[in-house]
Structures are given as structure tokens and as C-alpha cells.
Amino acid sequence: MESKPGSSRPDRKTTERNRRNQMKALLSKLHSLVPPQSPRESTLSQPDQLGQAANYIKNLQVKVEKMREQKERLLEIEKINKSMKNGQMIGFKSSEIRIQKTESILEVVLVTGLDGQFMFNETVRVIHEEGADIVSASFSNVGDAMLHTIHAKVEDGDSSDERVSQRLQKIVNDVDGVSS
């Protein structure tokens, strides 16, 4: 079925050729936006180029999510720092604790007075007793307070994060009840 001489509609071959040219141009544009992964990349087939672009986009999404989480943690630390600088927490004796679980990672943020080493040790002990593996622990001295951050790996489906939260909150309340 060819197009009639007086018809303004292009025939199927022309339409398909235009579509292929447009797809080729779009693929070339996409390929130019993806940084080269290997020296022999110019010899990749079109499906391989598409796969590489998809992997690159997925990796960017993971990086963006990690950066968002890091930003949230930094904003929380900045908020604590600002409240300390404004005198709201200067000389405070009570401890604060925040526990958050993201997938299989348990994050514990403990704010204590400068003499809060006991609280940190108790926090580590409780996390260990509940079967979580501590991945990292850090602290910062901010004014009259210590900011402790602990990351621990817990098993998926495990309720140890709830038990850890309850036990740590009890320890904080008991210590604050004794010190006030």
C-alpha cells in the first residue's frame, strides 16, 4: 500500500525512518549525558547504552537519598547546636535520647551533660545485650553537652529496636530522676 500521489500523508517507510532517526537522536542525547564508565564505551550497542543510562540514574537516586538522610541528621545537629548557643541547654542536667530505625539500621542520638560517659556506656551495653551489632559510634562536645550518635544493625522483622528504645528511655528517666 503506497501513498497516493495527491495524498499529503507520508508512507509507512518514511514514517518509520523518521521514527528511527528520532529515536537515534534521543539515544545519542541520553548517551552524551551519562559520564563514560569505561574506555571501550563507544562500542556499546544501543541496548547496552540504555542499560548503562538506567544504572547510572539508579545510582544517582541512591546517592540523592543518602544525601537527604545526611542532610536531615546535620540539620538536627545544627538545631541542637543553635539551642545550646542560645542558652536554652546551658547547664542542663537531664539527658535526651532519640531513636530512629531505617530499614535494618538503628540510629541512637544521645545528648548528655559533660559527665554523660555513664549514659553512653549504658547505651552501648543495652544495644549489645539486645543483639544489635554496633556499626559506628561518634560523639561531639558542644558547649556544656555531649552529643553521642550510635548506628547499629538489627535483624529485619526483629522487635529489638522497640526493646532498645524502651530500655534506653527507662535508663534516661532513672538517671534524670536521681540527678534532679
Side-chain angles (χ1 to χ4, degrees), residues 21-172:
N21 287 338
Q22 184 179 17
M23 291 298 290
K24 187 176 180 179
L26 290 172
L27 180 64
S28 176
K29 185 175 181 180
L30 177 63
H31 185 67
S32 71
L33 295 173
V34 177
Q37 303 295 318
S38 67
R40 59 182 195 99
E41 186 174 295
S42 61
T43 62
L44 290 177
S45 66
Q46 287 182 350
D48 290 340
Q49 289 177 6
L50 286 172
Q52 183 183 29
N55 289 336
Y56 178 71
I57 291 169
K58 287 177 188 174
N59 288 336
L60 285 178
Q61 288 173 330
V62 168
K63 285 181 183 178
V64 166
E65 186 56 36
K66 285 180 181 179
M67 292 175 92
R68 272 194 193 119
E69 290 171 4
Q70 182 180 12
K71 178 184 173 186
E72 287 176 22
R73 284 193 295 271
L74 291 173
L75 287 174
E76 187 170 313
I77 291 170
E78 181 182 25
K79 184 174 141 184
I80 291 170
N81 288 342
K82 282 183 180 179
S83 66
M84 288 179 173
K85 287 179 183 173
N86 291 336
Q88 296 172 359
M89 296 176 80
I90 302 294
F92 78 97
K93 299 221 187 329
S94 63
S95 300
E96 295 179 34
I97 193 161
R98 182 188 59 80
I99 301 165
Q100 178 179 337
K101 183 178 179 194
T102 307
E103 295 179 13
S104 64
I105 298 295
L106 185 68
E107 179 183 57
V108 178
V109 176
L110 175 67
V111 181
T112 66
L114 294 176
D115 59 348
Q117 188 62 38
F118 168 75
M119 288 295 299
F120 176 75
N121 292 343
E122 286 297 298
T123 302
V124 169
R125 183 184 61 78
V126 167
I127 291 171
H128 181 71
E129 285 177 357
E130 291 297 336
D133 295 322
I134 294 177
V135 177
S136 68
S138 62
F139 70 92
S140 301
N141 182 348
V142 184
D144 289 346
M146 294 294 288
L147 175 66
H148 305 273
T149 305
I150 302 168
H151 292 102
K153 184 167 179 59
V154 294
E155 296 296 322
D156 286 334
D158 191 1
S159 63
S160 63
D161 58 315
E162 294 170 15
R163 290 191 309 270
V164 168
S165 180
Q166 291 170 352
R167 287 183 65 189
L168 292 178
Q169 197 62 53
K170 183 179 182 331
I171 291 171
V172 168

